[in-house]
Amino acid sequence: MKAYIFVETKPATSMQTIKRIKEKVKEVVQADAIYGRYDAVIVIEAPSLESINEILYKVIEKDPNIIHTETSLVLSSA
């Protein structure tokens, strides 16, 4: 199962935040600082929805620099 997690961070912390998340979470496939409504996007692949839930709520959202997240689950890939 694959998910895109859009992240809003505290000002000027997006680069260090995604670096820390990439080091902590082996399921992270890609993590990029971006411009726009969100400060970063993190792509994770996990075996189940429960795994994604655990990663999101027990690791990613616990990071002190993260203000808000929005998750989109992938329905199918081309």
Side-chain angles (χ1 to χ4, degrees):
M1 187 158 229
K2 187 176 187 178
Y4 292 88
I5 303 167
F6 299 93
V7 180
E8 182 182 350
T9 63
K10 291 179 182 176
T13 64
S14 60
M15 295 297 287
Q16 69 187 44
T17 302
I18 61 170
K19 184 179 177 185
R20 186 170 41 245
I21 297 294
K22 283 171 73 172
E23 290 171 355
K24 281 185 180 179
V25 182
K26 66 178 173 67
E27 291 85 356
V28 171
V29 175
Q30 186 172 350
D32 299 307
I34 59 174
Y35 287 108
R37 181 176 175 195
Y38 294 99
D39 301 307
V41 62
I42 299 169
V43 182
I44 61 173
E45 287 185 1
S48 66
L49 185 57
E50 292 80 21
S51 298
I52 290 173
N53 185 49
E54 268 195 41
I55 293 165
L56 182 61
Y57 291 110
K58 292 185 178 178
V59 180
I60 295 174
E61 288 202 350
K62 296 280 186 191
D63 190 286
N65 291 332
I66 293 180
I67 297 170
H68 174 76
T69 65
E70 185 173 316
T71 303
S72 295
L73 298 174
V74 173
L75 296 176
S76 66
S77 292

